[in-house]
Amino acid sequence: MCLPVFSQARPFASSLFPVAHTFSIDLAERSYPITIAAGLLSNPATYATLPKAAVALIVTNTTVAPLYADALRAALALNYAQVHLVALPDGEEHKNWQTLNLIFDALLRHGCDRKTVLFALGGGVIGDMTGFAAASYMRGVPFVQVPTTLLAQVDSSVGGKTAINHPLGKNMIGAFYQPQLVVCDLATLDTLPKRELSAGLAEIIKYGPIADMDFMVWLEDHMDDLLARDRTALAHAVRRSCEIKAWVVGQDEREAGLRAILNFGHTFGHAIEAGMGYGAWLHGEGVGAGMVMAAELSCRMGLVDDAFVARLKVLVQRAGLPLRGAVLDAADNAGRYLELMRVDKKAEAGEIRFVLIDGPGRACVRAAPDALVREVIDACCAG
Ligand code: NAD
Ligand code: GLY
């Protein structure tokens, strides 16, 4: 059955803006501001409205720490008597129990109490793990997202999904736990490797087909500007993505229905990530190829036409993302995909449910016959 339609009609009027923009994600007592501009991270005023506490813990990784930890520490020093830092090993392959435990070690070693505020400084891996640590340390302490990748700014820092991976399934262990504030400092994107920029573009592109065809047209017109890191274009893309995500999460915080559309491309993509070994493919790369596969499946189910799939492929390719899925290390590639996809959180009683495009700008969640899914995998995988 299709979810309620969310598309064509835009949830917010959106316009280009040159500098700062702050808006709220509407979740009653769990509402919080998302603020977007260059230079926010190092400005103490950014954090002025946070709950008062004596101690802050910055959670980051060994790549991001040398770039931004000193600036964040200096900004926080005006609001917190003690600012501690823990730098985790970098990479999706470290998004696990062992690394999560390093955050708990630091919290306990520094005698952190339940007012301690955690700051997630980094990409989605750091954001997801810090959020999960915040959800569980002393049964819940406040945390702030300071996303420094494009992917984290447009998706993972917003909406309160926190998790670690399990060898058998991506993001399978976690909690819904909302931050107090999201600080998207566009200046941090200057140091992002090109491959990571492309990975972030995947999560931006997804908002068009599922929700906002005007945004898809804008992306078609401005993809080159985004790749060139034009600040104005990036600001608009981050803002519009966060607006759409906030609108969806505001209606369905715990993914009872509508929120699943944000997983367009993810069912195939997660299978690639887990099947190839975490870290081999970037999350956004899996989503890029996964969106093409999901669109192809939508087409074979009669929901969209070939022209739409072709249009999406052009955008994915222009973003520098893989168009074709990975061939997994198995005698039966499609069978291995199916096996991995049955572990997906949307699966029900072993039946895989896909986010499909139900006409441009509209998404639905449906099961599909295994034979058809096999056809799509065979047609869409490299090799
Ligand atoms: P990531 O966190 O691994 O960061 C990518 C790389 O960029 C890392 O090597 C990191 O150290 C480096 N980096 C970060 N900021 C940098 C900067 N400013 N300059 C230079 N290097 C920088 O990957 P990601 O793409 O940000 O996030 C992917 C993760 O997010 C996945 O684990 C995925 O499951 C998760 N995710 C979660 C949600 C959610 O709703 N919670 C949504 C989408 C994705
Ligand atoms: N990234 C999907 C979600 O937040 O629901």
Side-chain angles (χ1 to χ4, degrees):
M1 196 180 85
C2 280
L3 293 162
V5 172
F6 164 63
S7 68
Q8 266 59 296
R10 293 186 300 160
F12 293 91
S14 182
S15 59
L16 289 175
F17 69 105
V19 263
H21 183 70
T22 300
F23 64 99
S24 202
I25 177 165
D26 189 6
L27 292 168
E29 73 280 4
R30 291 179 306 288
S31 301
Y32 51 91
I34 300 162
T35 184
I36 304 163
L40 290 171
L41 184 152
S42 55
N43 184 350
T46 302
Y47 314 100
T49 56
L50 288 170
K52 295 292 163 235
V55 183
L57 177 71
I58 300 171
V59 182
T60 186
N61 69 28
T62 50
T63 304
V64 177
L67 296 170
Y68 301 112
D70 283 352
L72 180 58
R73 196 194 272 269
L76 296 181
L78 296 186
N79 289 318
Y80 301 90
Q82 296 173 47
V83 182
H84 303 293
L85 180 141
V86 57
L88 307 178
D90 185 8
E92 185 74 35
E93 65 276 26
H94 297 292
K95 191 179 171 185
N96 56 28
W97 279 117
Q98 288 73 23
T99 312
L100 183 71
N101 212 33
L102 298 177
I103 307 177
F104 297 129
D105 289 348
L107 284 162
L108 288 163
R109 201 173 50 247
H110 294 300
C112 294
D113 59 24
R114 38 167 55 134
K115 288 195 165 175
T116 299
V117 184
L118 271 60
F119 289 80
L121 174 68
V125 170
I126 288 295
D128 281 13
M129 281 198 295
T130 307
F132 191 24
S136 36
Y137 185 67
M138 294 197 178
R139 301 197 182 92
V141 293
F143 88 110
V144 173
Q145 291 274 14
V146 189
T148 61
T149 63
L150 184 58
L151 185 141
Q153 294 190 359
V154 300
D155 192 349
S156 63
S157 63
V158 173
K161 277 190 182 175
T162 76
I164 55 171
N165 298 328
H166 187 280
L168 296 180
K170 170 100 177 133
N171 290 337
M172 291 306 285
I173 299 151
F176 287 99
Y177 193 67
Q178 301 295 341
Q180 302 282 319
L181 168 70
V182 179
V183 179
C184 298
D185 186 335
L186 300 169
T188 62
L189 303 179
D190 291 350
T191 54
L192 199 61
K194 192 167 175 293
R195 189 177 164 200
E196 300 291 350
L197 189 80
S198 290
L201 289 171
E203 298 282 22
I204 294 176
I205 289 171
K206 83 173 174 195
Y207 293 113
I210 63 168
D212 185 351
M213 287 305 288
D214 288 352
F215 187 47
M216 184 152 169
V217 172
W218 183 88
L219 287 170
E220 288 169 336
D221 291 344
H222 292 86
M223 185 53 74
D224 294 343
D225 300 325
L226 292 170
L227 288 165
R229 302 179 202 227
D230 174 87
R231 209 38 90 67
T232 307
L234 283 170
H236 180 69
V238 173
R239 171 186 174 174
R240 187 68 193 137
S241 300
C242 288
E243 282 177 347
I244 295 170
K245 179 147 188 187
W247 189 90
V248 172
V249 173
Q251 294 186 68
D252 179 21
E253 182 183 3
R254 297 176 72 92
E255 202 168 306
L258 177 68
R259 185 168 178 169
I261 67 172
L262 297 173
N263 279 315
F264 175 50
H266 287 57
T267 310
F268 291 104
H270 284 173
I272 295 173
E273 284 188 84
M276 293 298 285
Y278 297 120
W281 276 51
L282 299 183
H283 175 71
E285 293 171 339
V287 170
M291 285 191 293
V292 173
M293 295 165 91
E296 188 61 46
L297 182 58
S298 311
C299 184
R300 286 171 194 239
M301 291 179 74
L303 300 172
V304 281
D305 58 17
D306 287 332
F308 181 81
V309 181
R311 193 173 158 193
L312 178 65
K313 277 181 170 175
V314 170
L315 204 48
V316 168
Q317 187 163 41
R318 283 181 64 202
L321 291 160
L323 274 184
R324 300 182 69 75
V327 178
L328 306 180
D329 186 18
D332 174 11
N333 183 51
R336 179 74 181 127
Y337 267 88
L338 286 165
E339 184 183 37
L340 287 163
M341 291 193 296
R342 285 190 218 290
V343 186
D344 187 84
K345 288 187 289 307
K346 290 182 296 306
E348 286 179 7
E351 184 180 70
I352 307 163
R353 296 163 77 247
F354 295 91
V355 180
L356 300 174
I357 301 305
D358 185 23
R362 299 159 54 125
C364 65
V365 180
R366 283 196 192 168
D370 276 4
L372 197 60
V373 178
R374 277 181 173 276
E375 274 180 29
V376 167
I377 294 166
D378 290 344
C380 292
C381 287

